Amino acid sequence: MKPTSILKYFAASICIATTLAISVTTNKDDVEGFFAKNKSKSGHTNNWAVLVCTSRFWFNYRHIANTLSMYRTVKRLGIPDSNIIMMLADDVACNSRNIFPATVYNNRGRHLDLYGENVEVDYRGYEVTVENFIRLLTGRVAKETPRSKRLLTDDQSNILIFMTGHGGEEFLKFQDAEEISAHDLGDAFQQMYEKKRYNEILFMIDTCQANTMYSKIHSPNIVATGSSKLNESSYSHHDDPDIGVAVIDRFTYYVLEVLEKVNMQSKATLKDLFDTYDYNLLQSTPGVRSDLFFRPLDEVLLTDFFGNVQNVELTESKEVNNSLTETDPALIDSEPMFIEDPQAEIASSPKQSASWIQEQSHTFEIGNPDQSQTWRYVAFAVLSVAMGSALIAGSSLV
Amino acid sequence: MAADRDSMAANDKIRRMVILSVWAVVLLGLPLWWKTTRVYRAELPYESINKWKQWETCKPKFPIRVNVHLSEAEQHQSGNNPTLSDVTQGVIKRVQELNTARGGKGSLLTVEFIPSKPWTGSSDKDITDRASAIPGTYDFYISPSNLTHASIRSQRQGFIQVQTWSTDHIIETIVETSKAVFGSEEKTIRQLLDTNEDTQGVHKVQDQLKTVKYASGYQLTFSLFSGDASNGVREWKMQEVIHAYLAPFIKTMSTVSKFTIESQIQHYASLAFTPQMDYGLQEHYLTPDALPNFINAAEWSLASTVSSLPSLNFLTYVPKPNESPLVIKTGPGAPKSSTNSFLIPRWGGIAILNRDTDRIKEHPELITVKDLEPVMRVFLSQLRDLMGVTDLSTTTQSSSSFPILFHKALNEAPTTWELDNLLRRRSAENLVDSLATISSLAQLVRDTPNMVVLDHIQKDVTEALQDIGRSCEHLSRQEYVEALAASRDGLVKSETAFFDPTMVSMLYFPDEHKYAIYMPLFVPISVPLLMSLLREVKRLKEKKQAQQDKGKDSQSHDNHEDKDDKQE
């Protein structure tokens, strides 16, 4: 074989390798432009919640229980059913394996039936699909969709989005048949931002490798929290020997422990919630992403997202005889600024191990993205060289 | 042998034809495959959208005509009579001066002062002309008096009294009145149309936070919530009250939006918490910060699932007998709220009704019209706020140097001035909103190259732009009602296009997936294709080389022979 032809083939394979590698590198989006423009304080006048359980089958009982527990919390704190969209991919209450039919419990003691009364499930069973979820978020539902299945938010709505199920690196599995990727979620949120369909969003996700799911969000005013980082699983908390399956996940369990102490007048903030995250209890590293959120987390009340506390305005009478000294309506900002928070102990709960808390800084939780890029380059180079040499080998044989 | 060589040549030819034909299929198939795997994308009018975003196609202008009527009743002997034309020209000049002083941005509400027929009266009872029925055309009647005073009547007429009957003084008074009436509107509209303004969240003025978004129809729900059944309330005369009190408001607002009205009664609507007790005055009270939790959303059913119109709820709450009377105040001994009611932004209003003990004795089960009258008054003023009807009197007090009185219409209905204000502001809002929707739609279509864009979306966008253009033209011709209607059409069409169910882009597939799918199909078949092509090329080259060599050999042979000849 002439050395020039070897060189020629080598050059060809290098060209192929670089074109392939270039095509798969992702350009980091330049999000710098957003930040300077948008500095928001909470200007919301209504609250919505979207609670999604994506798993089906009996052994995923705990995911249904997670979602129903969140539903109960959100209702207790004041969000009406018309503003809650709950998606449950399976019906475990009426599953034939449930020895306590028509009930769903989230703890072994079975103190509280989550499926008892006054529960409105908007999307159930096979209606919980990736397409329906994205249509719900972007508002592009079919024309005959009833009002209870639409997300009728406006630019002054704060939305809580809670998702639970089985997930992996930048994807979340729906119904064991399809998956939604972090890019799709980021695109959906971007469309919501373009159409001014939200004021602020709290995105909470409890799955394996949950923190990767919010890595591709690039719209402003979104704070995200997940239960575990890349290559880490999220674990269930405990199971009920009578029911036979695990009944609640760790992350949701410990978040609920904080939320159960919150009432409608509570002054507890998101920072208080995030400070209670503890690796020893959760056995996974939860993450918080707040670089796209412009209020500091210690000023964001939990009731801004989990409750329905609104600014009301007292109406004062105007004098009837057209005089000029008409009183303005007394504007009272009813954010409960002067009620002492009785739950102050949330903030001062002892933190058991402080070292890993550094990971809750306001940056991504995924692995080093540049590192995976290099591996992509290398992989494709090797692949193309292999193809090239196959060609060479083939030609030399003939 | 020759026969072998011929057959080999024939074989070569056949082989070459085979390879070329296979490659021809591949080369023809590539563009066909490319064309058939492209998604159908109708072309959106990007250039028009861009031009509209910069307001190049039509800049919205809100022309206003003011007919100036100068009183001729009093003719000074001194001969110093201000003439109408002087006054009008002076006013125009002064307004221009003020505009340039403000930075020369040019005003959006271009007020045009027109000298009109003289007026023989001297007080506002002498104004006998019919008021203008065209939104945007107003009449100012000016007369001398012993103090400077302006009175804006509920029809499109303004009555101005000037103390010093001189041209300059009259000009100043007219200009100040006009600024008082139109100034805040100009500011609001400018803020809306300025594309660099951020109107999200806290940047909104407090008033804008509580105003609902514009819609062509609203549903009003009047609910009676009774704490429990022991107060005996069974019915209320809301229907009569609505007919009596709400009708003027609805009628005046019919050019802007339509209203559907419902009412309901719910019993046993208990509060989620217990109100505090003021033992001194023997009354129960709620503090203002308990009010956000007043609505027990879990148990009170307030949402209507039937209609798709945006809804506003007005709640009348009759507390339980053991929680009556229930007032709103900050603490025991503090003054209580005069109306016992509050407004929830973009949602509606709540009034707590403490029934008169005498009335309870008379007919415990009925809430009469007289009981409901103050409640309805409160609801009407809350409805004004929610609809965005600005109360002109509150916006002008600080800026004018003389008193300006704004007359009210019957039952809190918007006056014509307020209605015109609403028409103009809502038109501007709709224009801005529909343009924002269309441009974000265009941005979305550009950003997702693999999303299907059907023809009807293109049609909707084009028609929406046409509606916006029509609305802008109507605005410039001072046809405000038509402008609002056109802007409403544009808004509806742009929202239909944006929220079309087919506009969901294909889900994201990483490039590795695409390679993983195509590689097993194409790589195995491409190896023999490429190899055979390369081999043919090599063989051709060798043959050419061999021919050249043969030619060279024979040449050198000849040369050699020549040389030999020469040498001999």
Side-chain angles (χ1 to χ4, degrees), chain A residues 253-272:
Chain A
Y253 179 86
Y254 288 109
V255 167
L256 285 173
E257 282 220 319
V258 175
L259 290 175
E260 280 295 311
K261 301 201 195 85
V262 168
N263 60 20
M264 289 197 264
Q265 282 96 2
S266 166
K267 290 275 288 133
T269 63
L270 273 185
K271 185 166 183 316
D272 298 332

Side-chain angles (χ1 to χ4, degrees), chain A residues 135 140 147 315-316 338 395, chain B residues 289 307 338-339 498 501 531:
Chain A
R135 281 181 186 278
R140 301 205 168 92
R147 197 179 176 147
T315 311
E316 294 296 336
F338 26 87
S395 73
Chain B
D289 27 83
S307 100
S338 49
T339 53
F498 190 88
M531 292 309 304

Side-chain angles (χ1 to χ4, degrees), chain A residues 8-9 19-20 23-26 37-46 75-82 118 130-131 134-135 138-143 147-148 154-156 178-181 183-184 187 191 193-199 221 264-265 308-329 331-332 334-339 376 380 383 387 390-396 398, chain B residues 149 198-204 206 208-211 213 272-273 288-293 295 297-299 303-305 307-311 328 330 336-347 377-378 381-382 384-385 391 393-394 397 403-408 412 436-437 439-441 443-444 448 495-508 511-513 515 519 523 526-527 530-531 534-535 538-539 541:
Chain A
K8 251 194 286 181
Y9 284 126
T19 47
L20 287 175
S23 63
V24 298
T25 55
T26 53
K37 208 164 77 101
N38 290 289
K39 284 191 311 178
S40 75
K41 288 182 236 165
S42 167
H44 75 283
T45 55
N46 54 43
K75 266 188 91 157
R76 181 177 61 84
L77 292 174
I79 302 187
D81 264 321
S82 55
N118 217 358
V130 176
E131 185 187 336
I134 293 189
R135 281 181 186 278
T138 55
R140 301 205 168 92
V141 290
K143 302 251 185 309
R147 197 179 176 147
S148 59
D154 55 25
D155 57 329
Q156 287 168 202
E178 51 180 0
E179 57 192 41
I180 183 171
S181 79
H183 291 267
D184 296 323
D187 285 343
Q191 289 193 42
Y193 172 69
E194 292 271 329
K195 195 61 184 70
K196 295 204 178 76
R197 274 165 72 76
Y198 69 91
N199 180 36
N221 286 337
M264 289 197 264
Q265 282 96 2
N308 196 21
V309 178
Q310 298 154 324
N311 299 333
V312 304
E313 180 185 292
L314 288 182
T315 311
E316 294 296 336
S317 67
K318 302 189 183 140
E319 289 167 32
V320 182
N321 59 349
N322 298 336
S323 86
L324 306 164
T325 55
E326 290 167 273
T327 54
D328 282 353
L331 222 69
I332 296 192
S334 295
E335 288 289 306
M337 298 300 273
F338 26 87
I339 290 187
R376 282 209 186 102
F380 273 96
L383 192 62
M387 265 175 56
L391 284 173
I392 297 165
S395 73
S396 65
V398 177
Chain B
H149 177 80
D198 187 0
T199 49
Q200 188 88 359
V202 78
H203 293 272
K204 280 192 180 176
Q206 186 76 20
Q208 285 176 309
L209 268 179
K210 46 180 175 168
T211 310
K213 280 198 130 11
F273 57 94
D289 27 83
L291 292 178
N293 310 316
I295 301 179
E299 291 177 19
S304 163
T305 47
S307 100
S308 55
L309 298 174
S311 71
I328 301 175
T330 46
K336 58 183 182 191
S337 155
S338 49
T339 53
N340 236 12
S341 59
F342 57 100
L343 174 136
I344 297 184
R346 286 195 174 183
W347 185 87
R377 203 174 289 282
V378 161
S381 73
Q382 288 174 341
R384 275 173 67 102
D385 282 339
D391 200 349
S393 52
T394 55
Q397 282 325 103
I404 302 183
L405 178 69
F406 286 88
H407 288 232
K408 301 269 189 186
E412 304 272 357
T437 309
S439 52
S440 52
L441 176 66
Q443 184 67 28
L444 172 70
T448 42
E495 300 250 321
T496 316
F498 190 88
F499 286 120
D500 192 88
T502 60
M503 292 280 288
V504 180
S505 59
M506 316 259 183
L507 293 179
Y508 169 81
D511 284 326
E512 293 124 27
H513 287 202
Y515 287 122
M519 273 210 308
V523 166
S526 66
V527 171
L530 279 173
M531 292 309 304
L534 288 172
R535 239 180 293 145
K538 206 162 66 166
R539 211 169 279 147
K541 265 209 266 196

Side-chain angles (χ1 to χ4, degrees), chain B residues 71-83:
Chain B
S71 166
E72 283 185 348
E74 229 178 79
Q75 299 285 344
H76 290 279
Q77 261 65 28
S78 55
N80 196 2
N81 285 329
T83 56

Side-chain angles (χ1 to χ4, degrees), chain B residues 471-488:
Chain B
S471 170
C472 200
E473 276 176 44
H474 279 307
L475 281 180
S476 57
R477 290 202 291 262
Q478 212 186 328
E479 293 158 5
Y480 291 119
V481 179
E482 290 85 348
L484 182 67
S487 69
R488 179 170 52 215

